[in-house]
Amino acid sequence: MQASSVEIRKVNKFYGPFHALKDVDLNILPGKVTCLIGPSGSGKSTLLRCINFLEEYDSGEIRIDGQMMGYDAPGRKMSGRKLREMRRSIGMVFQQFNLWPHMTARENVAEGLIRVRGMGKAEAHERASAALTKVGLADKMENHPLRLSGGQQQRVAIARAIAMEPRLMLFDEPTSALDPELVGEVLNVMKTLAAEGMTMVVVTHEMGFAAHVADQVAFMEKGELVGVDTPDRILHQPADPRIQSFLRTYHERNSF
Amino acid sequence: MDFSIFQQYGPALLKGFGNTILCWALGTVFGMALGLVIALIQRYAPKYIRWIVQAYIEVIRGTPFLVQLFVLYYGGPLIGLRLDALPAGLLGLTIYGSPYFAEIFRSGFRAVPHGQIEAARAIGMTELSIVRRILLPLGLVSSLPALINFSIILTKETVILSIITVPELMYQVNRMSTETFRFLEANLVLALFFWLLVETISRVGRRFEARITKHLIERT
Amino acid sequence: MFSFPVFLESFWPLIWAARYTLLISVLGIGLGLVIGALICAARLSPYAALRRFAAVWVSFLRGVPLLVQLLVFYYTLPVIGLDVPATVAAVVTVGICASAYISEIWRGAIAALPKGQSEAALAIGMTPRDVWTRVVLPQAVTLSLPALINELILLVKASSLVSVVGILEITRASQAQAATTFRPLEVYIAAACIYLAINLCLAALGRYLEHRTAV
């Protein structure tokens, strides 16, 4: 598997007068896991969604393996075809799973292979089965999403993304909608992916995951990237008072 | 009261019933098709086209079906649109139903969670694929109850076609009652008939709905 | 071809006839509100027979086309010895028909209120009667206002059907005019414009109410 790198340079994003991303600079290294943390509304999900251009950034550059995402040149949007071409190698997992409820788990995974990769139905289903087996759902392939638990649904969503053989995976709070006892099974699948050398960008509130799996942790607040460093330096010996105060609140809320 | 006239007029009534079902079925299918096109235009077309379509919706929804039929059937010939009663009635029913169907589809589309469309975009599906594979199947299912409901309303609207002399059931019943002077019996039976028809269609509709939405209802 | 002067000339008599359209729709909805409230109460009552009656009432009136109801009613009156003007018969039919829809609107509005609200009222010791008059009804009435305006719009359009029993409202007046001027296109489009104007005003009122009640 080939792993992508992402360079984010001076990216800005506005919602009307609201400045959602302020001159964000970040390097996402190939084969490494980057966790984006910070309070809600800090812009971390927006930044993640800019990487595959589900959210359009207004200025700056996001380059994936050197190629600019979303624009041919500053201010000139790329064609839909080219955008789809680039998205093909980026997998995304959403907080709300976003599985298609009218298709079985296997059909959900095969859909992209058939429509986007132009694969035959039989081959696509075979690949879909393999991907579902990998996330531990070999026995749930014919179930419709609403007959699965949240954790199982999220694993189907991961299978849907990895079946496309992406070189980069984006996770948007993948465990925030799950009951606490289901978080572990999803994080385990993500750990396996990380161990295989996938480039991953993960927006998360799971500090434990960030501490143990991430290669670098980026802290965002109010649209600004406050700091990027190893998990240890960000989570255990943060220099910036904003990070300190965020972690203090986090610990207070999670101790009993 | 005397109901024996129904025997004598049986064949004419049966023919009228056939025309009622024909008008209803075709009017529903064409109206739905036009409504679907309108709903897709409203979702994807540029602004000024959407305005034109919106004006069409407001005009059709703001005026009585009967007046629309008069414009079409009696006014049409003045601008070269000469139609027999039956095709005029069919066209009228199609036009009349289309904005309501469009609104139903539009809210059905809105009921599809945006994230499910984003998920399709994120794996690089084309907009056309997304419409065909995600938006339409899910949107249609969530529109289903309202679609069934409105096609039931359309069965009742078909009687208005009798006023522009479309030879459907009510027209035949009217002819029968003016020839025999049995106005009350004729209309009473017609009322009971429609009651039965509408109740039957709603029951069948509910069963159909339950079957289609089987997978889409969350386990409790 | 479409003649603009003819179109403009046909407006005045039709606008004059619109008073009947408005009269029938407004009185119809008034009657419908009263009967609809009774039917809704019957549907929510503890007595099975009443509930059954109300359910049949609603299902019959919603299953039978208004035009057929109108004729049944119109022809029944003389049989039972009632000699009332066609206008009265029309208002009563429209009102009865509307009552079925209005009772469902109210039932829906009451069902839409969170159950916890009446529980909260009972919990602080309010009587069931107070719960209804102080908590449930005020909210249900406000909630149902936009739907009731919508029902009024439907009645304005449905009132065109009373033209078949000879009441000189907009549609009947336009038929008469079309017959004398031989310009049906212009006359009927003028009629459509008047209906549209009435209904757009009502729709605007409905949106205003919806906006005001959305807290």
Side-chain angles (χ1 to χ4, degrees):
Chain A
M1 183 179 59
Q2 206 192 333
S4 290
S5 61
V6 184
E7 288 166 73
I8 299 170
R9 289 284 165 272
K10 290 212 168 304
V11 162
N12 282 281
K13 164 82 188 168
F14 294 86
Y15 293 109
F18 178 66
H19 202 166
L21 294 177
K22 299 172 188 163
D23 280 336
V24 174
D25 273 300
L26 180 64
N27 272 339
I28 287 159
L29 308 168
K32 304 284 182 194
V33 177
T34 304
C35 281
L36 296 177
I37 63 167
S40 48
S42 58
K44 50 197 194 307
S45 282
T46 305
L47 179 64
L48 186 83
R49 290 160 57 85
C50 281
I51 296 177
N52 68 351
F53 215 59
L54 278 181
E55 212 70 72
E56 295 171 10
Y57 53 97
D58 296 310
S59 69
E61 290 182 1
I62 293 180
R63 291 185 177 276
I64 296 167
D65 297 329
Q67 199 184 0
M68 177 121 95
M69 182 65 181
Y71 298 97
D72 284 329
R76 213 177 65 226
K77 249 184 259 175
M78 61 171 46
S79 69
R81 171 187 286 270
K82 207 165 156 197
L83 180 62
R84 287 195 295 276
E85 191 70 34
M86 287 189 71
R87 280 177 178 166
R88 260 169 57 164
S89 54
I90 307 172
M92 179 148 188
V93 174
F94 300 83
Q95 180 178 357
Q96 296 298 336
F97 330 134
N98 293 337
L99 295 176
W100 301 307
H102 57 310
M103 302 179 190
T104 62
R106 180 156 44 188
E107 284 165 349
N108 262 283
V109 180
E111 184 68 15
L113 296 171
I114 297 169
R115 304 286 144 188
V116 180
R117 302 277 298 266
M119 214 174 263
K121 205 176 159 197
E123 193 189 353
H125 274 247
E126 207 170 298
R127 283 244 201 143
S129 305
L132 284 165
T133 308
K134 189 169 169 192
V135 298
L137 290 173
D139 54 334
K140 301 284 183 197
M141 294 199 230
E142 304 309 324
N143 287 47
H144 280 83
L146 294 177
R147 296 284 176 276
L148 298 173
S149 74
Q152 291 167 334
Q153 287 189 54
Q154 192 60 298
R155 285 188 282 153
V156 174
I158 294 174
R160 175 171 70 183
I162 60 176
M164 301 289 290
E165 298 177 323
R167 299 198 295 267
L168 163 67
M169 287 278 288
L170 310 176
F171 292 86
D172 191 1
E173 301 199 25
T175 57
S176 299
L178 298 177
D179 291 334
E181 74 272 18
L182 301 176
V183 169
E185 60 188 73
V186 171
L187 292 182
N188 279 338
V189 171
M190 290 168 64
K191 277 180 202 158
T192 317
L193 272 181
E196 286 171 3
M198 174 75 78
T199 311
M200 291 166 56
V201 187
V202 185
V203 172
T204 188
H205 293 291
E206 294 289 332
M207 296 304 151
F209 179 82
H212 294 122
V213 184
D215 297 289
Q216 60 174 356
V217 174
F219 178 84
M220 290 185 72
E221 192 183 76
K222 293 186 180 145
E224 268 177 80
L225 196 99
V226 176
V228 198
D229 216 322
T230 60
D232 192 49
R233 290 233 192 84
I234 293 281
L235 298 174
H236 295 302
Q237 27 189 316
D240 195 291
R242 286 171 289 185
I243 308 180
Q244 288 166 358
S245 119
F246 172 78
L247 289 172
R248 214 165 24 244
T249 321
Y250 177 82
H251 286 306
E252 275 163 20
R253 208 175 292 157
N254 286 280
S255 59
F256 49 82
Chain B
M1 288 201 188
D2 177 7
F3 293 99
S4 65
I5 46 163
F6 285 95
Q7 225 162 7
Q8 187 192 338
Y9 282 87
L13 293 179
L14 213 59
K15 219 176 129 214
F17 175 63
N19 280 333
T20 292
I21 294 296
L22 180 81
C23 287
W24 170 63
L26 290 183
T28 303
V29 169
F30 294 154
M32 260 189 213
L34 186 55
L36 184 59
V37 171
I38 291 174
L40 286 172
I41 287 176
Q42 282 184 313
R43 202 179 160 93
Y44 291 105
K47 205 182 258 170
Y48 53 93
I49 294 181
R50 290 207 308 265
W51 283 343
I52 295 170
V53 168
Q54 193 58 39
Y56 167 84
I57 291 178
E58 295 292 340
V59 168
I60 303 297
R61 296 214 303 179
T63 53
F65 182 37
L66 182 58
V67 174
Q68 293 165 17
L69 288 175
F70 283 167
V71 171
L72 191 67
Y73 187 61
Y74 298 115
L78 272 88
I79 48 165
L81 184 72
R82 253 168 251 280
L83 291 172
D84 282 338
L86 188 67
L90 252 176
L91 181 60
L93 210 53
T94 304
I95 291 175
Y96 169 72
S98 61
Y100 297 94
F101 281 123
E103 286 295 304
I104 291 170
F105 286 128
R106 189 152 78 147
S107 51
F109 291 158
R110 259 201 303 255
V112 178
H114 188 60
Q116 292 175 3
I117 301 204
E118 278 194 333
R121 264 187 209 136
I123 60 169
M125 277 167 76
T126 60
E127 285 303 314
L128 193 68
S129 282
I130 295 175
V131 170
R132 271 187 41 219
R133 302 286 304 169
I134 315 291
L135 188 70
L136 275 184
L138 287 171
L140 291 186
V141 167
S142 47
S143 329
L144 199 61
L147 285 178
I148 292 173
N149 202 17
F150 190 71
S151 33
I152 290 171
I153 291 176
L154 278 187
T155 50
K156 293 188 286 169
E157 303 288 6
T158 56
V159 298
I160 296 174
L161 299 178
S162 67
I163 302 177
I164 61 157
T165 71
V166 176
E168 45 69 80
L169 191 57
M170 177 133 195
Y171 178 83
Q172 303 289 8
V173 168
N174 280 341
R175 228 190 53 188
M176 175 179 82
S177 50
T178 42
E179 282 170 16
T180 60
F181 298 103
R182 304 249 177 248
F183 295 101
L184 183 56
E185 290 92 328
N187 281 296
L188 257 182
V189 170
L190 192 60
L192 288 176
F193 170 79
F194 265 98
W195 188 18
L196 204 72
L197 182 71
V198 164
E199 279 295 309
T200 314
I201 300 179
S202 358
R203 233 156 259 197
V204 172
R206 272 198 295 273
R207 200 162 297 172
F208 179 63
E209 204 184 299
R211 247 185 51 188
I212 297 271
T213 54
K214 201 168 55 186
H215 297 305
L216 303 174
I217 295 161
E218 202 149 358
R219 181 179 49 184
T220 45
Chain C
M1 262 324 345
F2 189 85
S3 153
F4 211 68
V6 176
F7 172 69
L8 287 181
E9 266 168 44
S10 31
F11 263 100
W12 282 117
L14 297 185
I15 287 178
W16 185 231
R19 70 191 196 284
Y20 273 107
T21 296
L22 290 175
L23 183 81
I24 289 169
S25 330
V26 171
L27 289 182
I29 200 141
L31 188 63
L33 286 171
V34 175
I35 307 177
L38 294 175
I39 294 297
C40 180
R43 269 210 116 160
L44 299 172
S45 83
Y47 307 107
L50 271 183
R51 286 203 304 268
R52 185 101 209 109
F53 169 77
V56 171
W57 177 276
V58 170
S59 131
F60 180 79
L61 292 169
R62 295 208 306 177
V64 178
L66 178 64
L67 185 58
V68 180
Q69 284 178 36
L70 203 60
L71 292 181
V72 168
F73 204 70
Y74 188 70
Y75 293 125
T76 310
L77 286 178
V79 173
I80 56 172
L82 271 179
D83 189 20
V84 294
T87 324
V88 176
V91 167
V92 172
T93 317
V94 168
I96 287 178
C97 182
S99 74
Y101 294 92
I102 291 173
S103 77
E104 288 298 281
I105 290 173
W106 274 341
R107 202 162 69 111
I110 290 170
L113 294 181
K115 214 183 155 87
Q117 289 197 5
S118 34
E119 281 173 356
L122 288 171
I124 60 163
M126 283 166 86
T127 63
R129 205 191 120 114
D130 280 347
V131 173
W132 272 92
T133 55
R134 307 293 310 159
V135 180
V136 177
L137 287 183
Q139 294 193 75
V141 168
T142 342
L143 262 181
S144 64
L145 275 180
L148 290 176
I149 294 290
N150 205 30
E151 183 61 27
L152 182 56
I153 292 175
L154 289 177
L155 286 195
V156 167
K157 290 189 283 173
S159 71
S160 66
L161 297 181
V162 306
S163 60
V164 299
V165 293
I167 294 165
L168 209 66
E169 41 63 74
I170 300 173
T171 305
R172 184 71 177 196
S174 59
Q175 279 177 291
Q177 219 181 348
T180 52
T181 59
F182 300 105
R183 304 297 305 190
L185 183 68
E186 290 84 350
V187 174
Y188 289 134
I189 289 181
C193 288
I194 297 173
Y195 279 111
L196 187 62
I198 296 174
N199 287 333
L200 287 179
C201 291
L202 289 176
L205 176 67
R207 271 197 301 275
Y208 169 74
L209 289 176
E210 197 160 11
H211 187 72
R212 237 192 44 179
T213 54
V215 203

